[in-house]
Amino acid sequence: MLKIFVKQSIIDYTKQLVQNNNFGNRGKFDGDKRKQFVGMLAENIIRDYLGDNLAEGKGFDGGWDVIYKNQKADVKCMERKVEPRLDYVNNVVASQFNYESSLYIFTSLNTKNKTFTVCGWIDKQKFKENANFYKEGQKRYRSNNTYFKAESDLYEIENKHLYTFE
């Protein structure tokens, strides 16, 4: 897993960007401003790392954020209070499979120690083949025996099944 230093200038830019724009225009699972900030921050950190321009205010992006390995990639971020481990999962809501992205870049933002980790990447087809599926309403148990009910059809994959991000 790759750790990336989070530049304060990217945090400040992203705060302003989310304050002035609504990035939750999909209709479902749009996220409040906090979730939009975490998602846009992850996208901007990856954009900066790849040498791209930072995101600008716009409408729906078609479901992809950056070009990676010559393909449209959707950057996904989990906000946590711990460092990610190989057995931690990343998820994609099933309805998002219809979007234009060909692969996913999974990231983790640790808000306790303010670190950003790129957990890895995987193409959409391999993701579907290796992910666990949870039907809407199904109980999804965590390793500590707590659970939540899936709010939508949901796919999850562990970090150990991802490719190394370069």
Side-chain angles (χ1 to χ4, degrees), residues 90-147:
N90 305 282
N91 61 58
V92 176
V93 174
S95 62
Q96 294 180 342
F97 285 139
N98 299 325
Y99 296 162
E100 296 176 29
S101 61
S102 328
L103 59 87
Y104 301 110
I105 300 170
F106 292 106
T107 66
S108 181
L109 179 66
N110 183 330
T111 55
K112 189 172 183 180
N113 68 9
K114 298 183 173 53
T115 58
F116 182 80
T117 304
V118 182
C119 301
W121 69 275
I122 192 166
D123 68 69
K124 195 181 281 187
Q125 187 58 41
K126 287 276 189 205
F127 176 84
K128 286 182 191 178
E129 292 170 9
N130 291 294
N132 293 317
F133 175 73
Y134 298 92
K135 195 87 177 127
E136 181 176 355
Q138 183 178 351
K139 289 182 179 178
R140 185 353 206 130
Y141 285 89
R142 299 179 182 105
S143 60
N144 65 1
N145 290 325
T146 63
Y147 71 87

Side-chain angles (χ1 to χ4, degrees), residues 7-132:
K7 298 175 185 173
Q8 187 62 46
S9 60
I10 294 176
I11 293 170
D12 295 342
Y13 176 86
T14 305
K15 281 181 183 175
Q16 193 70 34
L17 183 68
V18 171
Q19 182 179 350
N20 295 328
N21 297 277
N22 181 7
F23 291 96
N25 294 312
R26 297 176 296 203
K28 193 169 182 183
F29 301 105
D30 290 336
D32 58 21
K33 286 292 187 179
R34 175 66 188 173
K35 289 179 181 174
Q36 290 178 33
F37 169 73
V38 170
M40 291 308 300
L41 180 62
E43 178 180 337
N44 278 331
I45 293 168
I46 295 295
R47 284 174 169 273
D48 183 66
Y49 184 82
L50 295 174
D52 293 343
N53 293 329
L54 299 183
E56 297 178 5
K58 58 184 175 189
F60 181 62
D61 60 11
W64 66 279
D65 302 313
V66 298
I67 298 294
Y68 181 69
K69 298 201 173 281
N70 296 316
Q71 296 183 59
K72 293 177 180 177
D74 189 4
V75 177
K76 300 287 189 186
C77 188
M78 296 286 277
E79 183 177 14
R80 297 185 163 107
K81 292 184 173 53
V82 296
E83 290 300 301
R85 299 184 328 213
L86 290 176
D87 62 325
Y88 282 15
V89 297
N90 305 282
N91 61 58
V92 176
V93 174
S95 62
Q96 294 180 342
F97 285 139
N98 299 325
Y99 296 162
E100 296 176 29
S101 61
S102 328
L103 59 87
Y104 301 110
I105 300 170
F106 292 106
T107 66
S108 181
L109 179 66
N110 183 330
T111 55
K112 189 172 183 180
N113 68 9
K114 298 183 173 53
T115 58
F116 182 80
T117 304
V118 182
C119 301
W121 69 275
I122 192 166
D123 68 69
K124 195 181 281 187
Q125 187 58 41
K126 287 276 189 205
F127 176 84
K128 286 182 191 178
E129 292 170 9
N130 291 294
N132 293 317

